[in-house]
Amino acid sequence: MRDSNRAEAERVLARAVEDEVQRSGGRAEAGPLLARGRAALDAMAANAAEEYAAYVRALEEAEAAPPSLGERAGTAALVTAAGAVAALGADLALGTSLGTALGAGAAVAVAGAAAAGATAVHRPAAHRGDGAAEQLRLAWLTALEVRGIRPFLEQQRVSAEAVKATPPRPERSAEARRRGVLAQSFGQLPEPTGPFVGRQAELARITEWVSEADGSRPTVVVLHGAPGSGRTTLAVRAAHRLKDRFRGACVVDLRGTGNQDPPLSTRDALLHLLNRLGAPRERLLFRERTSQEQQVRRIGELYHQHLTGLPVTVVLDDASDAEQVRALIPERSDSLVLVTAPEPLNLPADLPARVHRLPVEPLDAAGAAELLPSAGEAAERIRELCGGLPLALRIAGPMLDRRPADALVRMLERYGVTSGPVDGALWLSYGELDERQRRLLRRLALAGRASLGPSAAAALLESGEQEAQRQLAELARAGLVDHVRGTRYRLHEAVRSFVAVRLLDEEEPPEIAAAQERLIRDYAELADSVIRMVDGKPSTRAGQFGAHGFVSLDAALTWLDDESSFITATLRHAEGVNQQTVLKLLDALCDHCLLRGDLYRLGELTELTQAVDHGLLVRSVQLRTGIAARRLGELDKARTTLSSVVSLYQEADHDAGAALALCSLGITLHHQGNLTEAAAKLREAIALQSAEELAGDRAWSLHALAGVERDRADLAEALTLLDTALALHRASESVHGEAWAHLQLGRVRLRTGEVPLAEAELRTALDQYGRTHDERGAAWALTQLARARLVAGDPGPAVDRLREALSRHREAEDARGEAWTRYHLGQALEERGDLEQAVRELERARAMFSRMRDVYGLACARHHCGRVTRDLRAARTGNLRNSGFARQLLVDARADFRRIGVAHGEAWTCLELAVIDAGNGRPAQASELCAEAAALFASYGDRRGADWARFLRCTLLPPPAAQQELAQLLRDAHPARDPGLEDSAEALLLSRTPGWHAWPSAVIPPRRARDVMGVPVDPGPSGD
């Protein structure tokens, strides 16, 4: 478009936008709407291309002999009137009220008059045409407004209403995760078991304060008392008792007074709370590298925003810093914050919370007597010697089973004078243990403040798990370890400090180092065994397994769920341990994080390895971080991360690692729609995995490549790759790999139209995802099973199943899965006849693909959004006029498909464009598009699609020629032909509608025609 003509077109657009703003009553914003219109102006102008071309030709012819001013003005007035009448007719056809239509017609008349005046007065002589040129110019401007600008503005209005009607979908994913995590959070609290005496008054006081809360600000209770006074137990009991009043709960150990570990930073405390209380996972995975102060400010704002209006219970255990506590109080919700500290904290006076301080005093005589049932009259003296502290009394009580009460009093008097009440009781109890129990208790100090189970105890004690479990139970009965839940125990910090000294005094450094390494080695083997049961024998774990001892995969995964926190804590103290052993444990834990979607822990491991700065460990964790980023829909970030990991492995001459990273990079490129480069990366990975010991890795690369070849329409190659991948997954005992291979097989069989075979493959995949606890994979299987119903022509059940799959993708926070499921839901709604809702779903899918930079997904969404928008408008008007916006979507989709080399998508888009052109009286352009589509279908051997291209071209021919071509088409029968084509051909032959009658006769290619590719494949079933 010439610059002078563009300026005229923009003036028409500006006036139309002004009218739209007035029509909306000010709800539409002129600035953004005008900016979007200017960006789409070329697309709108394409709908008036014929008028513009005629105008330019006439202008060029007339430039040598400009007419008089009177001629131009007279012609302009005539065309202005014609334009006004055309605008009035178009509006009435669109269903606009008569008054509005008359107003719009008048606006066109004014616009034409203004344009005529501008032409007569302001246009340079060199650009003035004769009367015919001026008539064509105004005809072009009228066509631009009626067929381009108005449909664009209407589509903007529909999109705005759709967005207003439904909240943004990415937030639904975050909300789903928040609900799920909060529902499970009370199960993460220590179980309320064991003796709890003498604290009923304090518990009642806390309950009273919560009941008095006004609902506008949090309630903060500072529980202060000496170590061993039972502050934490009281806080946990209160959290359990009041759980019906709150939606979630979390305990965070601030380590404010411990001697063994540094205090927990405010940043890490915020991240822990966000994770336990269901914050968006991408915020937990990608840790900023700015200053600590900036990070605390950013994460703190996210924390307060996340908990706004969400009442939860937060236990801040072992606090010592009042400013840190303030940062962790959710000020915008009616929450309960229980703070345990040795002294009353002086919290800021301006804190927007109801603050109460509750001293946790020594137990009185009645409370102590409950812990000392056999002490008799000596109970009061024992209470005094134990300082009334529940911890010391709990340790002293079991010793009464082995000696008279007065003997215990004398021993406590001797030890307690110099050591204090808790250490005095600990010395006595420690001395009464046998050597194995003392060794285990000492070495439990190596476990840090995390809870541990019999697996860790067995490694520390060099015994079997049953023996270790028995010893832990004995230590718990002696009051020396705290029961957390199930078979998990934890040392009280006072006990840990005591036994840590005993460990250094009574064992040699080599013994301590050997115990630490044995702990990590045993856990590495067990964790590897669990992941092996899921993923088989990839190169990272090949040949490294003995008997794992798990009775089932479910039991194995549950064990690793329970142990993941302990393993992370153990890795923080792995100095001096063999790095290959550490790497093995790290690999297994990272894979578990990916399987479970535990991106918070993956973020922790990233920071841990970066702090250690050991190249192999960093590469291993970064590889998993890239994969996690891809699953979150952060495709650019995933591509950058994985590209750097490939380079790191290549620099280290580590072919197996480089191949794994290349495979993940290839999958990411596939998700971005870069199919050619994706195939190249995956084939490069497969070449590096040719050795027999890398067969398990090669299976994953093969089934990933099959997905790329499916989208490139090479279904025969995809089936061959998947048959090989499935055999390799079975040989490596990878249940998880088999599940993904079966999913891919099902998707290929949908492309061949073999719905029963596809459903069998997809149900197998769903079963195997269930066995491996892969919620993300299960959601994908549900999406494809629903799609199978759609391919089978059964849209009703497809809609219901797709909505179920959509909620599963949200719960798994799989952005890409949600986008594709929404895309298929739009198709199913279209098939069911609900075009308006279909447009909304497809628009949402289009927005998600655009945000993820998934070009293939974006092209597919544009294609179907364009066709449904076209059909929706045509259903209102009874014709295909004013399909400008739909046409532009299809033009953009075609450009995307061509750019990424997807001939199948481009060919079908050409046919949809041909329908629009044919319906707008442009048969030559439509016929050319049909020819281009036929060539594209032929380029990859799709005879089914080529049939439809030939058929649609027949509809554009004069009746005798059309009948001859149709007869030839029907004679050229083949097995891949769409059964619906012959029905359409018969309907076309019987049609008596004048003009181009494929559209009113409903014989254009249906949406379902695109689902199946008519390419040659091996007819035999794959897989089982």
Side-chain angles (χ1 to χ4, degrees):
M1 196 187 305
R2 296 179 177 184
D3 289 344
S4 60
N5 299 145
R6 180 176 291 278
E8 289 182 285
E10 288 189 356
R11 284 196 291 273
V12 176
L13 172 65
R15 284 191 294 273
V17 167
E18 185 178 345
D19 291 343
E20 178 66 22
V21 172
Q22 291 177 354
R23 171 193 263 178
S24 71
R27 291 189 299 276
E29 297 184 38
L33 188 56
L34 184 59
R36 289 194 295 272
R38 283 173 174 157
L41 190 57
D42 287 334
M44 291 185 268
N47 295 287
E50 289 184 14
E51 289 82 356
Y52 181 67
Y55 162 55
V56 170
R57 283 194 303 270
L59 187 62
E60 291 171 349
E61 293 171 358
E63 281 179 342
S68 67
L69 177 63
E71 288 174 334
R72 289 198 302 274
T75 304
L78 175 63
V79 177
T80 297
V85 172
L88 171 63
D91 267 345
L92 291 173
L94 287 168
T96 307
S97 68
L98 178 61
T100 303
L102 286 169
V108 172
V110 172
T119 301
V121 178
H122 298 294
R123 295 182 70 209
H127 290 87
R128 293 176 189 167
D130 60 10
E134 185 63 18
Q135 180 180 358
L136 291 169
R137 185 181 73 85
L138 292 172
W140 162 59
L141 290 174
T142 301
L144 172 64
E145 179 169 8
V146 172
R147 295 207 300 268
I149 293 174
R150 293 226 198 142
F152 168 79
L153 293 175
E154 183 179 344
Q155 179 62 32
Q156 293 295 306
R157 193 185 315 134
V158 170
S159 297
E161 290 170 358
V163 169
K164 204 176 297 180
T166 308
R169 287 316 181 197
E171 296 177 8
R172 293 280 296 273
S173 295
E175 178 59 28
R177 177 175 189 269
R178 185 170 78 163
R179 284 197 306 270
V181 172
L182 288 171
Q184 299 170 13
S185 62
F186 287 101
Q188 300 292 331
L189 296 175
E191 292 177 353
T193 57
F196 181 71
V197 299
R199 301 297 185 208
Q200 295 303 323
E202 289 87 344
L203 200 55
R205 195 77 179 107
I206 295 171
T207 302
E208 181 182 347
W209 284 329
V210 169
S211 300
E212 292 172 353
D214 56 15
S216 62
R217 50 186 176 157
T219 299
V220 180
V221 180
V222 180
L223 304 172
H224 57 93
S229 61
R231 304 168 311 206
T232 303
T233 301
L234 174 58
V236 170
R237 291 282 180 150
H240 277 289
R241 171 171 288 192
L242 297 168
K243 69 179 182 180
D244 290 341
R245 304 191 185 195
F246 300 95
R247 290 183 56 189
C250 178
V251 178
V252 55
D253 183 1
L254 298 178
R255 305 197 299 254
T257 60
N259 299 322
Q260 307 295 316
D261 300 297
L264 188 69
S265 70
T266 302
R267 169 187 175 277
D268 289 345
L270 284 166
L271 285 169
H272 177 82
L273 285 163
L274 282 167
N275 179 55
R276 289 296 193 197
L277 298 174
R281 293 192 299 180
E282 66 271 14
R283 304 297 183 90
L284 306 175
L285 173 63
F286 305 118
R287 310 290 174 89
E288 299 179 16
R289 296 190 180 182
T290 53
S291 69
Q292 281 283 331
E293 182 180 348
Q294 289 176 312
Q295 290 185 54
V296 168
R297 186 168 60 252
R298 285 178 179 272
I299 299 171
E301 178 55 34
L302 172 64
Y303 172 69
H304 292 299
Q305 178 184 345
H306 178 67
L307 293 182
T308 297
L310 181 68
V312 296
T313 299
V314 175
V315 178
L316 303 177
D317 194 26
D318 197 14
S320 61
D321 183 345
E323 285 302 320
Q324 181 184 48
V325 168
R326 174 175 186 156
L328 302 177
I329 294 173
E331 300 173 355
R332 305 173 194 168
S333 73
D334 183 22
S335 293
L336 170 63
V337 182
L338 299 166
V339 184
T340 73
E343 302 291 339
L345 292 177
N346 293 318
L347 295 175
D350 61 345
L351 182 67
R354 297 163 57 94
V355 179
H356 307 276
R357 292 175 177 82
L358 183 62
V360 184
E361 304 285 2
L363 290 177
D364 58 17
E370 289 189 54
L371 293 175
L372 304 169
S374 59
E377 296 180 357
E380 177 58 22
R381 179 56 180 158
I382 295 173
R383 185 189 72 83
E384 292 174 359
L385 291 169
C386 290
L389 299 175
L391 175 61
L393 290 165
R394 197 183 68 202
I395 296 169
M399 288 188 281
L400 290 170
D401 296 337
R402 298 183 291 276
R403 64 179 51 79
D406 55 350
L408 178 60
V409 168
R410 289 192 296 272
M411 297 177 74
L412 286 172
E413 287 173 339
R414 185 164 63 250
Y415 280 100
V417 171
T418 57
S419 305
V422 173
D423 275 8
L426 281 170
W427 270 113
L428 278 176
S429 182
Y430 182 76
E432 293 190 353
L433 300 176
D434 63 36
E435 179 51 36
R436 287 177 66 80
Q437 290 172 334
R438 285 199 297 270
R439 186 186 306 122
L440 175 58
L441 185 61
R442 289 193 302 267
R443 292 178 179 176
L444 289 180
L446 297 173
R449 298 166 77 112
S451 66
L452 82 169
S455 299
L460 293 171
L461 195 57
E462 290 187 272
S463 71
E465 285 197 21
Q466 288 187 344
E467 171 63 14
Q469 174 61 40
R470 190 181 67 80
Q471 297 291 356
L472 282 172
E474 287 294 329
L475 293 175
R477 278 191 287 272
L480 296 169
V481 297
D482 296 332
H483 179 250
V484 178
R485 74 181 72 85
T487 59
R488 304 195 67 76
Y489 299 87
R490 179 185 175 186
L491 284 176
H492 188 284
E493 186 57 25
V495 180
R496 181 170 171 247
S497 297
F498 173 84
V499 298
V501 174
R502 302 273 49 78
L503 178 67
L504 295 175
D505 285 351
E506 298 179 26
E507 296 198 33
E508 297 297 325
E511 290 182 283
I512 299 173
Q516 182 75 22
E517 181 150 354
R518 188 168 56 250
L519 177 65
I520 292 178
R521 185 188 66 241
D522 288 1
Y523 262 73
E525 292 177 356
L526 283 165
D528 271 349
S529 296
V530 176
I531 300 301
R532 174 182 179 259
M533 295 174 74
V534 176
D535 282 342
K537 304 172 185 172
S539 59
T540 50
R541 287 181 285 278
Q544 298 175 353
F545 304 99
H548 52 70
F550 296 112
V551 297
S552 67
L553 177 55
D554 187 71
L557 287 167
T558 300
W559 175 85
L560 193 49
D561 286 342
D562 291 340
E563 296 288 352
S564 57
S565 295
F566 174 73
I567 293 171
T568 305
T570 302
L571 285 169
R572 294 186 183 278
H573 303 283
E575 301 87 353
V577 178
N578 180 276
Q579 288 297 297
Q580 284 299 322
T581 302
V582 175
L583 178 63
K584 186 164 62 171
L585 180 56
L586 190 65
D587 278 342
L589 186 56
C590 286
D591 286 341
H592 176 261
C593 290
L594 284 178
L595 180 65
R596 283 294 200 243
D598 189 353
L599 304 192
Y600 165 75
R601 195 167 310 286
L602 192 56
E604 273 192 307
L605 295 172
T606 300
E607 292 185 328
L608 174 61
T609 54
Q610 287 171 346
V612 174
D613 197 26
H614 186 287
L616 198 58
L617 302 183
V618 171
R619 292 193 293 269
S620 179
V621 177
Q622 280 187 340
L623 172 62
R624 275 73 175 194
T625 302
I627 296 170
R630 182 178 71 232
R631 294 180 182 177
L632 288 170
E634 300 281 350
L635 298 182
D636 284 345
K637 190 170 292 187
R639 179 176 182 172
T640 301
T641 301
L642 292 168
S643 296
S644 68
V645 174
V646 170
S647 299
L648 290 171
Y649 275 119
Q650 289 173 338
E651 290 169 7
D653 292 324
H654 195 300
D655 285 350
L660 288 172
L662 282 165
C663 175
S664 291
L665 178 58
I667 295 170
T668 303
L669 291 166
H670 180 196
H671 290 185
Q672 288 188 307
N674 194 339
L675 305 186
T676 302
E677 191 177 353
K681 295 297 182 186
L682 288 164
R683 292 189 186 279
E684 186 180 349
I686 291 167
L688 291 173
Q689 295 164 338
S690 58
E692 183 59 33
E693 60 269 20
L694 299 181
D697 294 359
R698 188 165 68 253
W700 288 90
S701 299
L702 286 168
H703 84 234
L705 179 58
V708 177
E709 296 301 344
R710 178 198 67 236
D711 289 342
R712 296 171 80 185
D714 194 345
L715 303 189
E717 174 70 0
L719 287 173
T720 300
L721 291 167
L722 286 168
D723 283 339
T724 305
L726 192 55
L728 291 175
H729 280 312
R730 285 170 176 160
S732 67
E733 303 174 24
S734 175
V735 179
H736 201 213
E738 283 188 55
W740 284 103
H742 281 297
L743 179 79
Q744 295 284 19
L745 279 166
R747 296 182 70 178
V748 174
R749 290 303 179 188
L750 287 178
R751 277 300 192 189
T752 62
E754 299 167 289
V755 174
L757 279 177
E759 289 181 322
E761 297 287 357
L762 294 169
R763 289 192 186 98
T764 300
L766 184 61
D767 174 66
Q768 289 174 325
Y769 287 131
R771 289 167 57 194
T772 58
H773 294 203
D774 187 347
E775 295 299 327
R776 174 177 161 271
W780 274 98
L782 288 172
T783 293
Q784 296 304 316
L785 280 166
R787 185 173 160 233
R789 290 293 84 216
L790 188 58
V791 175
D794 196 5
V799 168
D800 296 337
R801 294 180 187 181
L802 283 164
R803 283 179 171 148
E804 178 191 353
L806 192 61
S807 69
R808 297 282 288 271
H809 283 295
R810 287 183 194 139
E811 289 168 7
E813 285 188 275
D814 184 352
R816 185 169 178 270
E818 181 180 350
W820 278 106
T821 303
R822 197 171 290 287
Y823 165 77
H824 293 307
L825 178 57
Q827 292 181 310
L829 288 165
E830 176 195 358
E831 199 80 4
R832 204 172 68 174
D834 192 348
L835 298 186
E836 292 190 3
Q837 185 62 29
V839 168
R840 294 191 188 99
E841 295 297 343
L842 289 166
E843 284 284 359
R844 289 167 189 150
R846 184 162 69 99
M848 293 186 75
F849 286 129
S850 178
R851 189 164 49 248
M852 288 187 285
R853 309 286 183 88
D854 181 347
V855 183
Y856 178 62
L858 181 59
C860 291
R862 278 174 168 163
H863 172 99
H864 283 287
C865 194
R867 59 167 286 125
V868 179
T869 300
R870 177 200 69 197
D871 294 350
L872 181 61
R873 186 178 302 279
R876 293 172 178 169
T877 63
N879 60 62
L880 289 170
R881 299 282 178 180
N882 307 311
S883 299
F885 183 73
R887 191 179 198 284
Q888 186 56 46
L889 284 172
L890 290 165
V891 168
D892 291 342
R894 183 185 181 186
D896 288 338
F897 282 129
R898 176 179 292 177
R899 178 155 56 95
I900 61 179
V902 180
H904 174 260
E906 186 184 355
W908 281 106
T909 307
C910 284
L911 293 186
E912 300 298 348
L913 284 166
V915 169
I916 292 178
D917 282 352
N920 281 271
R922 295 190 288 269
Q925 292 91 328
S927 183
E928 184 179 347
L929 284 165
C930 289
E932 291 176 15
L936 287 164
F937 284 128
S939 70
Y940 66 93
D942 189 346
R943 301 187 66 186
R944 183 187 182 100
D947 281 353
W948 279 111
R950 290 176 63 186
F951 171 80
L952 193 58
R953 182 177 173 276
C954 289
T955 68
L956 300 165
L957 298 173
Q963 290 183 4
Q964 184 177 353
E965 289 288 333
L966 278 174
Q968 183 60 47
L969 174 60
L970 294 175
R971 283 195 296 270
D972 295 339
H974 54 84
R977 170 160 293 171
D978 186 345
L981 183 132
E982 295 188 2
D983 295 338
S984 294
E986 183 178 350
L988 183 63
L989 291 170
L990 295 174
S991 174
R992 296 291 181 267
T993 308
W996 185 69
H997 41 268
W999 170 261
S1001 301
V1003 293
I1004 63 170
R1007 188 210 60 79
R1008 292 193 303 276
R1010 188 184 187 277
D1011 286 339
V1012 178
M1013 293 181 186
V1015 297
V1017 293
D1018 180 1
S1022 298
D1024 292 327

